[in-house]
Amino acid sequence: MEDEKVALLLMPAVLNSGTGLISSIHISKKNNSIDLSVHELNQRELGKFYARLPKQVKDCLLNFSKEYIDYTKQQINQRFNQQKAGVKREVFLQNALTRHIHKLFENLKPFVELVKWYHKIPLEKGKFKTGPCKFSTFRPRLSFEVIKVKDLLGLKTVVLVNEHPYKLSAFTRTNFLLESSNEYFILAYKDYQVLEWLAEVNIAQYASDPVLFSQEILVRLEEDYTVNRNNHFSIKEIEIAPVNRVMLSELSNSFLMLTPQWVYDGYLVEGPFKQTVETIIEGEVYAIVRDEEQEKEFVKLLESLHPAFASQRNGYFYVSFAEAQKKQWFLKAYHKMLELGIELTGMDMLQHFRYSPHKADTNVTILKEVNQQVILKIAVQFGTEKIDLKSLQKMLLAGQKAILLKDSSLGLLSDEWMQQYATIIKHGKVDKDQVEVARFVAISEHNASNEPQVLTRLVKEQWWLKWRKWQNDNETIYPLPASVNATLRPYQQKGFEWLTLLSEAGAGGCLADDMGLGKTLQTICFLAYNIQVNPSANNIIVCPSSLIYNLKQELLKFAHSITTMVYHGNNRNKHDLDGNVQVIITSYGTLRADAAHLLEKTFSVAVIDESHNIKNPSAQITTVVSMLKAITRIALSGTPVVNNTFDLYSQLNFALPGMFGSKDFFKREYADEIDRNHDEEKIKALHKLTAPFILRRTKEQVAKDLPGKSEMILWCNMHRDQQNLYNDIKDQIRSSLFLDIKNNGLGKSKLAVIQGMLKLRQVCNSPLLLPVNEQQQCTQSVKTEILVQELQNILGQHKALVFSQFSSMLNLLAKDLDKKGIKYFHFDGQTPAAKRAELVNAFQEKDCTTHLFLISLKAGNTGLNLTAADYVFLFDPWWNTAVEQQAIDRSHRIGQTKNVFAYKIICKNTIEEKIIQLQLRKKKLAEELVTEDDGFMRNLNEEDIQFLFS
């Protein structure tokens, strides 16, 4: 007797192709035997054997047929040809087909229980097993957990089914299908993509690096999934006084709700008090230490605003809209909070309040100009109601675009209004109905759009014609002064004209071309033009002491008719400043020491070279430089941003005094929002302000004829004695250092950390750098051996530079080179500036037979022109890769005609290799490892230190 039934057959193994993924299987029982036959799922099969199924289900199943899958592939292929997608055809086709099949399963999922299911799954040695299966109607969800095994981080994927957790390994996964005990679950397509990404990303490469593990893996997952970090990551504390804020919103469409909030150094906190609140920023965990006393005082203050608030204990305060408008309560409370410096946010999201039918009618009158500032009278009103400028400024600074009017309606500030007026009011000093703002803003607003502008008329129309011509044409605007003996490249002519244009408008700027593109020459041309117009004026250049004589030489070379004086050194005489000198060159240190004399003078042009030297607004030198009296101020730097956006503040504040407000304003308004939150609006706003005043061209953009630069690492393996000494010292440091951190905390152990790192780096260079009692009779230096070998191979046909952070290392190298008979020049921080210039000039001479230059990194990483060399060796790694690049670019700059080869000499399996790995972590703006050791320490946590000393 024969008994036959039909079921749907799933073959997960062919999911990638789609063809035959679901078929019809006929199961026949006859005389205790079972016969299985597979049939294609088509219209005929569905009509004959699945007639009882609803039409919707049969249509879903028909989409799995070979005919429909083939048609879908054709459509996807055509789409690829039309889109010309930027991926390989095979990848595009497979991704599109998988997404299509996933959609088919989603359509089928509500009906899976209406039919019987079998599946055919592979066994070992090419065999298959066919048997019953079923589909679950539960949607599985993913979560993740960080695990740690033998100090190595890993990731555990958890599958939640009906809120029960299971390991991913408990399932067999085929793309988006999970199978366990013959039961199938369909993953959401996003979950499938994440699992595919995790399978490809090779998590193990980040296992020993907590920061990279967090940044590269966890940050992406935490956007959409729950990730349990299990306390495997260090926490950075933020302890600072909060800014009080009130979030205004609507409750149940009947009440006005006031929620107290606190902003701690840019991080928003609300809700019941907890000693600390953790937040994750770019993969790193921060603990915000809350100020209980100040928060309580603020809540008490809010309670006093309305009698009903004292009895409300929900963490927020609420009042009916009718009550809020009675006797203009909310209007009075609103202004009281603004007067108390409380930020108000959420105004422009309130729906219950009616909006004023009036637009913001704004009238601006230019009252007068005082130096580089302009005083405006600004009247803003909605209908007949005039708006208090101080209140308006506070609302704008809180990010609001609505203001409460006396009739309890909200006056909305349009996007057009914001573009025209918001920057002026936010950046200005408000006094009643007047605003004092930097007149330079006129150039920014004209640069941003073609709309009628407020301050444009401060600059003559003739200047605007030149400005537009400079932006759009290649025609010469300002001829090169006759006193300049140089032929400028087109981009250098543009740079000279840009400086001259800004000066003519009464503004300064930051020339930020890549190192080696001729910022000095462009500046000399500008100075020559300025002197041609005003030959009796004094001008000043402030620079690092190592560049003083280099600058004097450049002036003599390109503009020898300009009278120049170096004001520097022990023999300087302040009375020389009173002479008829057109350009005074001095150092940052001399300016600070002789501020009383130099700040008395008024200069036509003040230039600060390597302007990132004043990036710290709190430093004394920044204060002194900013006090220089000059009509035009120019900052020069190939690396204006070293750590973050805040680095720009002091440099731009020097060039354009007053334009960017106080340092606290700039940090909060722009730097924090850009660096922490990547706020696109703030990026656009800052770009709008700074675009006319920062000129940056890269070598790739404008010096395509510059020869190539190759950067490589020369890996060294220490000899046994040196390696043993390194390991012994590392073990000693580890045992004492981490005990010190445990007992005293990281903050109080910084000096010990720096000293430990220094000692290990010295061993890597040469044990002879250590105190005699610690050398253990080991004098081997594998780095010295490798460097000398390399130099012997190349110095016959090439010239080379060798940089080291340690002057004493250069002295040791000098002794070895003397023994080998290799000639060299040598300078460090103790070498007088005049002597440096003499050595550089000699090295640059074509017929000079001394082909090697030993230079300390700090003394020679900026400003020098050493294009005679085409090989650069960095004997020891520096914390900041930007500093290393500056050293390399002493050779790779305009004037270089040969390919440049740069080598870092690094000892394997040492702290040096780990410093290289730490450098790779830092991907923002420039590099986040700062130049000074104490700055570097601020970026280190305990896990970093464990890593460095492992």
Side-chain angles (χ1 to χ4, degrees):
M1 182 176 178
E2 185 173 331
D3 180 18
E4 183 176 274
K5 61 180 180 180
V6 294
L8 294 175
L9 176 67
L10 174 71
M11 283 193 64
V14 299
L15 194 151
N16 279 335
S17 70
T19 305
L21 179 58
I22 297 180
S23 304
S24 177
I25 185 169
H26 294 216
I27 304 123
S28 302
K29 290 185 180 180
K30 187 176 181 182
N31 299 329
N32 295 325
S33 66
I34 297 177
D35 182 47
L36 304 177
S37 60
V38 179
H39 300 260
E40 185 182 333
L41 201 62
N42 53 30
Q43 193 85 48
R44 179 177 174 280
E45 181 75 11
L46 287 169
K48 183 175 180 181
F49 295 99
Y50 300 86
R52 61 184 177 80
L53 291 178
K55 182 178 183 301
Q56 187 179 0
V57 182
K58 287 188 284 188
D59 288 345
C60 286
L61 291 170
L62 194 60
N63 286 326
F64 285 94
S65 69
K66 183 178 184 302
E67 179 183 355
Y68 276 79
I69 292 295
D70 287 346
Y71 174 76
T72 299
K73 290 178 180 178
Q74 290 175 12
Q75 295 294 107
I76 294 171
N77 205 31
Q78 288 177 13
R79 199 158 73 241
F80 177 84
N81 294 332
Q82 292 166 358
Q83 293 183 0
K84 296 181 179 177
V87 295
K88 291 183 178 179
R89 180 185 295 271
E90 296 77 13
V91 175
F92 180 87
L93 297 181
Q94 186 59 67
N95 288 344
L97 182 61
T98 303
R99 185 179 286 276
H100 174 76
I101 293 172
H102 182 270
K103 187 176 180 180
L104 296 184
F105 270 105
E106 289 289 350
N107 293 339
L108 183 61
K109 186 176 177 180
F111 313 109
V112 290
E113 294 182 330
L114 297 179
V115 291
K116 295 285 185 183
W117 287 89
Y118 273 61
H119 63 161
K120 186 176 181 180
I121 53 178
L123 300 175
E124 294 180 356
K125 298 179 181 179
K127 295 181 179 180
F128 285 84
K129 180 183 83 170
T130 302
C133 69
K134 63 179 179 178
F135 273 88
S136 173
T137 55
F138 288 117
R139 165 76 79 196
R141 293 188 298 109
L142 300 183
S143 68
F144 300 91
E145 185 177 340
V146 180
I147 57 175
K148 200 168 191 178
V149 180
K150 295 182 179 178
D151 292 331
L152 295 178
L153 296 169
L155 191 69
K156 176 182 172 184
T157 302
V158 177
V159 180
L160 295 168
V161 178
N162 196 20
E163 301 308 314
H164 292 291
Y166 301 91
K167 292 181 181 178
L168 180 62
S169 57
F171 299 86
T172 300
R173 184 171 77 90
T174 308
N175 289 18
F176 52 77
L177 292 179
L178 297 181
E179 181 268 328
S180 176
S181 303
N182 301 321
E183 184 175 18
Y184 284 87
F185 302 86
I186 302 171
L187 286 168
Y189 196 76
K190 180 188 71 177
D191 293 349
Y192 152 69
Q193 288 179 307
V194 166
L195 292 180
E196 290 290 295
W197 169 69
L198 286 173
E200 293 174 5
V201 77
N202 183 19
I203 294 175
Q205 66 181 308
Y206 308 116
S208 60
D209 190 325
V211 174
L212 274 181
F213 188 93
S214 185
Q215 290 176 344
E216 300 297 330
I217 304 298
L218 301 188
V219 167
R220 176 169 173 179
L221 293 177
E222 285 168 335
E223 290 177 3
D224 300 299
Y225 300 94
T226 300
V227 179
N228 184 351
R229 290 181 169 234
N230 282 324
N231 298 318
H232 290 317
F233 299 85
S234 63
I235 299 175
K236 296 183 178 181
E237 282 194 353
I238 294 174
E239 193 165 0
I240 193 170
V243 174
N244 296 329
R245 172 185 284 191
V246 168
M247 174 68 182
L248 298 165
S249 58
E250 296 179 357
L251 178 64
S252 304
N253 203 30
S254 301
F255 297 91
L256 174 66
M257 186 162 76
L258 290 75
T259 304
Q261 298 178 330
W262 297 270
V263 182
Y264 286 87
D265 197 25
Y267 299 100
L268 184 66
V269 171
E270 64 176 67
F273 181 81
K274 293 193 299 185
Q275 193 64 45
T276 59
V277 175
E278 289 188 8
T279 184
I280 297 171
I281 308 292
E282 293 194 344
E284 297 198 61
V285 182
Y286 291 83
I288 299 165
V289 181
R290 296 174 67 173
D291 186 328
E292 185 174 15
E293 185 175 342
Q294 186 163 331
E295 289 190 18
K296 281 182 176 178
E297 285 180 8
F298 180 48
V299 171
K300 189 179 290 186
L301 172 63
L302 294 183
E303 284 179 357
S304 69
L305 294 178
H306 193 279
F309 287 174
S311 61
Q312 296 174 0
R313 295 285 184 265
N314 299 310
Y316 55 85
F317 303 100
Y318 57 93
V319 61
S320 70
F321 289 119
E323 185 72 16
Q325 294 175 17
K326 189 182 295 184
K327 296 182 181 180
Q328 293 188 313
W329 172 84
F330 181 51
L331 184 66
K332 294 173 184 175
Y334 166 88
H335 284 292
K336 182 174 182 179
M337 288 188 283
L338 286 178
E339 288 167 11
L340 292 170
I342 298 168
E343 287 192 354
L344 298 177
T345 185
M347 287 290 298
D348 42 6
M349 301 299 290
L350 297 176
Q351 298 296 317
H352 191 86
F353 283 81
R354 61 188 178 84
Y355 292 97
S356 173
H358 303 288
K359 290 184 177 180
D361 183 16
T362 306
N363 185 269
V364 180
T365 305
I366 298 173
L367 297 179
K368 60 181 176 179
E369 292 184 57
V370 181
N371 297 324
Q372 299 295 357
Q373 303 295 106
V374 58
I375 297 176
L376 310 170
K377 182 176 181 179
I378 301 180
V380 181
Q381 59 188 67
F382 286 87
T384 58
E385 182 178 345
K386 290 185 178 180
I387 305 302
D388 174 62
L389 285 185
K390 201 72 177 174
S391 297
L392 178 59
Q393 185 185 52
K394 288 178 180 177
M395 295 303 294
L396 290 172
L397 291 174
Q400 299 303 287
K401 297 179 182 179
I403 190 161
L404 186 65
L405 305 178
K406 290 178 180 176
D407 64 357
S408 295
S409 68
L410 291 177
L412 287 181
L413 302 170
S414 67
D415 291 341
E416 292 78 12
W417 188 96
M418 294 291 290
Q419 277 192 0
Q420 282 191 267
Y421 304 107
T423 298
I424 294 171
I425 294 173
K426 284 199 288 186
H427 283 249
K429 294 178 183 176
V430 174
D431 182 18
K432 298 178 182 176
D433 62 350
Q434 295 182 9
V435 177
E436 181 182 338
V437 69
R439 68 188 299 276
F440 317 120
V441 176
I443 301 174
S444 287
E445 60 177 23
H446 188 85
N447 188 67
S449 72
N450 295 319
E451 295 291 325
Q453 300 296 320
V454 178
L455 302 177
T456 302
R457 56 195 142 164
L458 291 170
V459 183
K460 294 177 182 178
E461 181 56 31
Q462 187 63 31
W463 187 90
W464 288 119
L465 291 172
K466 290 182 185 177
W467 182 248
R468 287 190 286 270
K469 190 174 181 181
W470 179 84
Q471 289 176 312
N472 300 319
D473 299 337
N474 291 320
E475 189 179 336
T476 299
I477 300 172
Y478 297 100
L480 204 60
S483 59
V484 173
N485 178 30
T487 302
L488 300 190
R489 292 179 172 222
Y491 76 86
Q492 291 174 328
Q493 175 72 24
K494 279 284 189 185
F496 150 62
E497 291 180 345
W498 175 76
L499 291 169
T500 309
L501 268 168
L502 289 181
S503 176
E504 193 175 302
C510 176
L511 182 56
D513 284 344
D514 249 357
M515 291 171 286
L517 289 183
K519 291 188 291 293
T520 301
L521 175 56
Q522 295 170 68
T523 306
I524 288 172
C525 294
F526 165 64
L527 285 169
Y529 186 91
N530 194 68
I531 289 167
Q532 181 177 280
V533 174
N534 190 2
S536 62
N538 295 130
N539 305 277
I540 189 170
I541 301 175
V542 185
C543 62
S545 59
S546 60
L547 302 186
I548 284 179
Y549 290 96
N550 180 62
L551 278 165
K552 181 178 181 181
Q553 182 176 308
E554 296 286 286
L555 275 160
L556 286 171
K557 178 180 177 182
F558 295 118
H560 60 83
S561 63
I562 294 176
T563 58
T564 306
M565 179 186 75
V566 169
Y567 184 71
H568 179 68
N570 295 330
N571 296 323
R572 66 184 183 272
N573 187 334
K574 66 179 181 179
H575 298 296
D576 292 340
L577 295 172
D578 300 324
N580 187 22
V581 178
Q582 291 169 321
V583 176
I584 297 167
I585 305 173
T586 191
S587 70
Y588 286 104
T590 302
L591 173 61
R592 183 175 56 227
D594 290 11
H597 308 309
L598 287 165
L599 296 182
E600 285 179 352
K601 296 183 69 65
T602 298
F603 299 99
S604 177
V605 177
V607 178
I608 57 169
D609 198 4
E610 305 296 345
S611 61
H612 48 269
N613 280 280
I614 67 160
K615 68 179 186 296
N616 179 2
S618 302
Q620 183 186 0
I621 188 58
T622 305
T623 302
V624 174
V625 167
S626 299
M627 292 170 67
L628 276 170
K629 297 172 187 173
I631 297 169
T632 303
R633 296 155 161 248
I634 303 299
L636 307 177
S637 179
T639 53
V641 175
V642 179
N643 304 312
N644 48 51
T645 306
F646 193 52
D647 288 347
L648 282 173
Y649 174 74
S650 293
Q651 297 170 74
L652 291 176
N653 195 49
F654 164 78
L656 304 154
M659 180 164 171
F660 298 96
S662 70
K663 63 182 179 181
D664 292 332
F665 165 77
F666 184 86
K667 183 175 187 294
R668 190 165 178 210
E669 180 72 11
Y670 298 110
D672 287 348
E673 292 298 320
I674 291 171
D675 295 331
R676 291 177 182 168
N677 305 324
H678 307 290
D679 188 310
E680 291 293 334
E681 280 194 21
K682 297 295 184 183
I683 292 171
K684 288 177 183 175
L686 185 58
H687 182 262
K688 169 188 167 182
L689 273 175
T690 60
F693 308 110
I694 300 177
L695 184 62
R696 178 165 179 79
R697 281 82 57 90
T698 66
K699 290 173 182 172
E700 291 75 19
Q701 289 172 323
V702 298
K704 295 178 182 176
D705 57 335
L706 195 63
K709 176 176 69 174
S710 302
E711 297 183 42
M712 292 154 279
I713 292 179
L714 278 177
W715 291 107
C716 307
N717 288 302
M718 293 180 185
H719 300 305
R720 184 170 59 185
D721 288 348
Q722 189 181 4
Q723 186 69 60
N724 288 342
L725 176 61
Y726 178 89
N727 291 338
D728 288 345
I729 291 177
K730 182 185 72 174
D731 291 343
Q732 293 169 18
I733 292 171
R734 274 184 63 89
S735 59
S736 61
L737 178 60
F738 290 108
L739 182 62
D740 195 22
I741 292 173
K742 183 178 180 181
N743 292 335
N744 303 317
L746 178 58
K748 294 182 180 178
S749 306
K750 288 181 179 179
L751 181 60
V753 173
I754 292 172
Q755 290 173 337
M757 288 190 288
L758 175 66
K759 187 171 288 187
L760 290 183
R761 295 174 69 224
Q762 287 175 324
V763 180
C764 291
N765 276 7
S766 171
L768 293 174
L769 294 176
L770 297 173
V772 175
N773 63 325
E774 295 184 22
Q775 292 173 11
Q776 298 182 4
Q777 307 305 313
C778 176
T779 60
Q780 293 174 316
S781 167
V782 66
K783 282 194 182 188
T784 302
E785 293 174 16
I786 285 179
L787 175 64
V788 171
Q789 289 171 9
E790 292 291 328
L791 293 175
Q792 287 175 323
N793 289 334
I794 65 170
L795 287 182
Q797 302 297 322
H798 303 274
K799 289 189 177 183
L801 312 176
V802 174
F803 289 93
S804 175
Q805 177 203 351
F806 303 99
S807 297
S808 50
M809 187 66 235
L810 294 178
N811 295 332
L812 291 176
L813 286 174
K815 290 180 182 178
D816 279 280
L817 294 169
D818 289 337
K819 291 177 185 177
K820 299 289 184 181
I822 298 174
K823 294 193 296 182
Y824 56 87
F825 292 132
H826 176 193
F827 79 64
D828 55 30
Q830 304 305 311
T831 308
K835 181 64 175 176
R836 296 182 197 186
E838 179 187 324
L839 294 173
V840 169
N841 291 338
F843 185 77
Q844 286 290 97
E845 289 293 330
K846 186 177 180 182
D847 297 329
C848 178
T849 57
T850 300
H851 286 195
L852 177 62
F853 216 136
L854 307 180
I855 309 172
S856 68
L857 190 61
K858 273 196 169 182
N861 74 322
T862 57
L864 300 179
N865 185 346
L866 292 165
T867 51
D870 53 339
Y871 278 79
V872 180
F873 295 90
L874 302 174
F875 199 78
D876 31 68
W878 190 244
W879 308 128
N880 190 339
T881 56
V883 174
E884 295 175 336
Q885 286 302 314
Q886 287 176 325
I888 294 168
D889 284 342
R890 298 310 98 221
S891 172
H892 192 248
R893 58 197 298 116
I894 297 299
Q896 181 58 267
T897 59
K898 294 171 282 189
N899 290 332
V900 173
F901 298 91
Y903 297 90
K904 288 183 186 179
I905 308 178
I906 304 295
C907 286
K908 285 287 289 180
N909 303 315
T910 68
I911 194 170
E912 291 189 325
E913 183 176 5
K914 291 178 171 63
I915 288 172
I916 298 295
Q917 293 174 22
L918 274 179
Q919 287 173 336
L920 293 176
R921 292 179 182 168
K922 308 300 181 180
K923 299 177 180 178
K924 286 186 195 170
L925 293 169
E927 313 297 322
E928 286 189 357
L929 293 176
V930 296
T931 48
E932 301 300 329
D933 289 349
D934 60 346
F936 174 70
M937 280 301 305
R938 284 196 298 271
N939 284 279
L940 290 181
N941 54 42
E942 278 195 50
E943 289 189 356
D944 291 332
I945 294 167
Q946 287 274 7
F947 173 68
L948 284 170
F949 289 93
S950 62

